[in-house]
Amino acid sequence: MMERNRQRGNVLLSTLGFSLGLILLFTMVANILPQVEGEAPVDSEVDLGALTMDSFVSLGEELFRGKGTCTLCHNNLGRAPDILVMNMVDTSSERLSDTRYQGGAADVEAYLRESMIDPSGYVVASFGKKGSDDTESPMPTVNKAPLNLSDIEIDAIIAFMQSKDGGEVTVALPTEAPAVAEESAAGGGAAPAESGEAAIAKYGCSACHLISGSGGDLGPDLSGIAARLDAQQLQQAITEPNAVIAEGFAVGLMPTDFANKMTVSELKMVVDLLLKQ
Ligand code: HEC
Ligand code: HEC
């Protein structure tokens, strides 16, 4: 009984510690990167002195799984290297000594940064765009639309990748508060999107689909989709992607959680926008 109480106490303590840590992290994130929370920070004083490498690494992980949309492609489905599972410190060194490597990076940190801001600089064998003979990467350039990650956000993601594989974190903690980025027209925050275009950007649809002339090709080209699917079928394609699989495409690649994440009005705006394609 005593033992159980003590255990319960420990669980409570660690839960409390965890929640406090989270609150702290979120306060800092909200201060440094207001767009992550989609709201103006309550307290505008940025105390970068309080930012530790541990919380910077956690921020990187949040961005990796959230706003950065990295896990949309980097997962165990085989469409992109499973960089969460791979040791990216070792992998980066291997890439740099590959005879196909023509980029400008000389160390792990620089390779990881280059992979994000110049994805076609070096294309991992067999992962290039169809027909490009591994010269063009299907990965979006992360500091351009629609992802628009800032330099600090990119550093945080590099810190996360170095740290998860036990490597030395070589990126420096930010020393200056970035200019408070205006909420991009594309959204990107957690606030509900106000147009179909903003919702498409917020949920990263163009990472995989060609929509209004730009985007990736992991999923079907959605130009002219209205000729094939009506409003109800489009809605189903988004909320239950595995119900009907577009011919020639892999099952399970399109994320299945949009139904939980999107608001009703976001879904409606996206369907309306696709009906005009
Ligand atoms: C639309 C799909 C997609 C998204 C989204 C995406 N990537 Fe990639 N990424 C790829 C593909 C495909 C490759 C392999 C081809 C290449 O080398 O560019 C790749 C390669 C990489 C590599 C090099 C891997 C290696 O084995 O050398 C890194 C590092 C990387 N991505 C990081 C990221 C990060 C971080 C994010 C999120 C900010 C991200 N990617 C988002 C598809 C994606
Ligand atoms: C990680 C890649 C990925 C992302 C992100 C993604 N999709 Fe898809 N999508 C696919 C793939 C692959 C298919 C084809 C397989 C299938 O039908 O499930 C598909 C199928 C579709 C289809 C059916 C197309 C047809 O020709 O039948 C629609 C519509 C669609 N997606 C809309 C969206 C919208 C809207 C978003 C953003 C809210 C989105 N997708 C995000 C990969 C993705």
Side-chain angles (χ1 to χ4, degrees):
M1 188 61 199
M2 284 265 292
E3 182 57 20
R4 198 178 304 149
N5 276 345
R6 191 163 331 120
Q7 269 178 8
R8 208 176 286 151
N10 285 346
V11 169
L12 184 68
L13 262 187
S14 48
T15 313
L16 256 183
F18 180 70
S19 313
L20 279 179
L22 269 189
I23 291 170
L24 204 73
L25 175 69
F26 272 99
T27 316
M28 285 183 309
V29 171
N31 279 338
I32 303 169
L33 304 162
Q35 69 273 29
V36 171
E37 285 294 90
E39 288 169 12
V42 187
D43 178 358
S44 59
E45 246 172 67
V46 181
D47 181 9
L48 283 167
L51 183 68
T52 62
M53 191 47 88
D54 279 353
S55 42
F56 198 49
V57 165
S58 309
L59 167 61
E61 178 163 14
E62 294 262 324
L63 290 164
F64 191 94
R65 297 180 190 276
K67 182 183 170 194
T69 69
C70 319
T71 45
L72 285 181
C73 299
H74 292 285
N75 51 42
N76 59 5
L77 297 174
R79 284 302 174 105
D82 194 353
I83 60 182
L84 271 179
V85 168
M86 287 154 63
N87 180 315
M88 288 314 291
V89 175
D90 294 352
T91 302
S92 301
S93 308
E94 280 162 30
R95 306 294 186 222
L96 293 176
S97 50
D98 182 342
T99 50
R100 287 174 53 241
Y101 184 74
Q102 308 271 320
D107 57 25
V108 172
E109 175 184 336
Y111 174 75
L112 293 173
R113 182 172 291 109
E114 198 177 69
S115 298
M116 288 190 266
I117 61 182
D118 180 18
S120 295
Y122 171 85
V123 180
V124 179
S126 84
F127 285 106
K129 277 196 181 180
K130 280 180 219 134
S132 79
D133 198 18
D134 289 342
T135 57
E136 263 180 80
S137 172
M139 166 157 161
T141 304
V142 310
N143 57 354
K144 302 246 168 75
L147 292 178
N148 285 323
L149 297 186
S150 69
D151 290 349
I152 290 181
E153 290 171 317
I154 293 172
D155 278 355
I157 293 176
I158 296 173
F160 161 62
M161 287 195 276
Q162 290 183 317
S163 147
K164 86 179 171 60
D165 294 321
E168 186 196 350
V169 177
T170 57
V171 290
L173 283 176
T175 49
E176 261 173 53
V180 175
E182 276 187 39
E183 188 75 15
S184 61
E194 281 168 11
S195 67
E197 286 83 359
I200 299 263
K202 176 176 173 186
Y203 293 102
C205 317
S206 319
C208 299
H209 293 288
L210 193 63
I211 304 174
S212 312
S214 75
D217 63 1
L218 289 175
D221 180 348
L222 297 184
S223 326
I225 184 74
R228 286 193 289 120
L229 303 182
D230 64 20
Q232 205 203 332
Q233 289 164 322
L234 281 170
Q235 181 163 329
Q236 186 187 42
I238 299 166
T239 56
E240 289 175 68
N242 295 337
V244 181
I245 302 297
E247 220 182 299
F249 288 90
V251 187
L253 183 62
M254 167 131 169
T256 52
D257 56 358
F258 289 131
N260 302 333
K261 288 185 174 165
M262 292 177 120
T263 65
V264 174
S265 81
E266 284 176 334
L267 180 61
K268 184 170 182 307
M269 289 185 302
V270 169
V271 168
D272 286 349
L273 183 142
L274 293 179
L275 283 172
K276 295 194 198 102
Q277 299 291 306

